[in-house]
Amino acid sequence: MPPRQRLSPADRRAQLLAVGARLFATHPYADVLMEDVAEAAGVSRALLYRHFPSKQALFAAVYQQAADQLLAETRFDPADSLVEQLIQGLDVHLDYFVANRNAVLAANRVLAGDPVIQTIMTNELDALRARLLAVLPLADESAREAVSGVLKSWLVFVQVLCVDWLTHETCTRTQLRDVCIGAVLGALRPLLTEDPAPDWPRQGSGAGASDARVGDRTQKSSGP
């Protein structure tokens, strides 16, 4: 074990979260032991347990931090088109999912019944839905309620689809993202007074999709 550094409680917690995030990202949940976290952080197990009483508590704190960061990095700017905003938000999340595959699978599969983890995910999806509602052209409160319901279902659809994709990549990342975008645009169009994305699907998408698939294969060969 490396020599222990003297840190403030807040700095120590941040250090333990960073170590935990790294281990949960690189190893399946079952393979991460609290002893391993303590050793990697250079602290005693007793000190680790003072900050986090269980592995589930540590994982929940790591996942809450990740959800907060994803929300901070997801920008819905009315100056951009809806498609541009959706691409940015999906790319931010897909970047995290690919880099933290084991952690995402743990939250959605291993800990699917954990109420704390489920609350973290539900709160993030609710926050994303509220941001999307704020940038869509809604005629009245009735339209808002209808669109809110569609967005709630769509966000769950995206979550399930992305988790399945992490388990078995049946398409490229670009195709996955475009499926998600196409799904929400198709569901929203009947409810809005104006088309939120008149240029979608993009003209000449065949060539663009082919180029994107080549780019995806190149990216996969060189790592996320």
Side-chain angles (χ1 to χ4, degrees), residues 180-199:
C180 294
I181 293 173
V184 72
L185 294 178
L188 289 176
R189 280 179 171 133
L191 301 174
L192 301 176
T193 56
E194 58 184 85
D195 192 330
D199 295 331

Side-chain angles (χ1 to χ4, degrees), residues 69-77 80-97 124-125 128 131-132 154-155 158 162 173 177 180-181:
Q69 183 176 347
L70 287 171
L71 282 174
E73 294 177 359
T74 301
R75 301 182 301 276
F76 291 116
D77 187 348
D80 296 330
S81 70
L82 178 60
V83 169
E84 288 172 332
Q85 295 174 71
L86 290 170
I87 287 174
Q88 192 273 335
L90 285 165
D91 278 344
V92 164
H93 282 75
L94 286 171
D95 284 344
Y96 175 80
F97 294 165
E124 190 204 354
L125 295 183
L128 291 170
R131 292 187 186 184
L132 280 168
W154 174 72
L155 286 164
V158 170
C162 288
R173 171 175 163 159
R177 187 190 66 194
C180 294
I181 293 173

Side-chain angles (χ1 to χ4, degrees), residues 68-162:
D68 293 341
Q69 183 176 347
L70 287 171
L71 282 174
E73 294 177 359
T74 301
R75 301 182 301 276
F76 291 116
D77 187 348
D80 296 330
S81 70
L82 178 60
V83 169
E84 288 172 332
Q85 295 174 71
L86 290 170
I87 287 174
Q88 192 273 335
L90 285 165
D91 278 344
V92 164
H93 282 75
L94 286 171
D95 284 344
Y96 175 80
F97 294 165
V98 170
N100 297 271
R101 182 186 305 262
N102 285 306
V104 174
L105 292 177
N108 288 275
R109 296 282 172 82
V110 181
L111 299 173
D114 186 286
V116 176
I117 301 300
Q118 290 305 307
T119 297
I120 292 170
M121 291 192 287
T122 297
N123 288 343
E124 190 204 354
L125 295 183
D126 286 345
L128 291 170
R129 175 163 49 118
R131 292 187 186 184
L132 280 168
L133 284 169
V135 299
L136 288 169
L138 303 174
D140 50 36
E141 187 59 30
S142 177
R144 180 182 178 84
E145 290 183 9
V147 168
S148 180
V150 166
L151 291 177
K152 182 176 182 177
S153 298
W154 174 72
L155 286 164
V156 173
F157 162 79
V158 170
Q159 180 183 17
V160 172
L161 188 62
C162 288

Side-chain angles (χ1 to χ4, degrees), residues 1-75:
M1 179 183 295
R4 183 186 304 176
Q5 295 176 296
R6 297 183 66 86
L7 299 174
S8 68
D11 287 342
R12 178 65 70 191
R13 178 182 171 84
Q15 180 217 13
L16 294 174
L17 283 173
V19 171
R22 184 176 73 251
L23 291 178
F24 286 127
T26 54
H27 301 281
Y29 180 81
D31 293 347
V32 178
L33 305 178
M34 290 293 270
E35 301 94 284
D36 298 333
V37 177
E39 182 177 359
V43 302
S44 67
R45 282 183 290 176
L47 178 57
L48 173 61
Y49 279 109
R50 281 205 294 273
H51 286 272
F52 303 101
S54 68
K55 183 169 76 169
Q56 281 181 267
L58 174 61
F59 184 87
V62 166
Y63 216 69
Q64 180 65 70
Q65 181 174 260
D68 293 341
Q69 183 176 347
L70 287 171
L71 282 174
E73 294 177 359
T74 301
R75 301 182 301 276

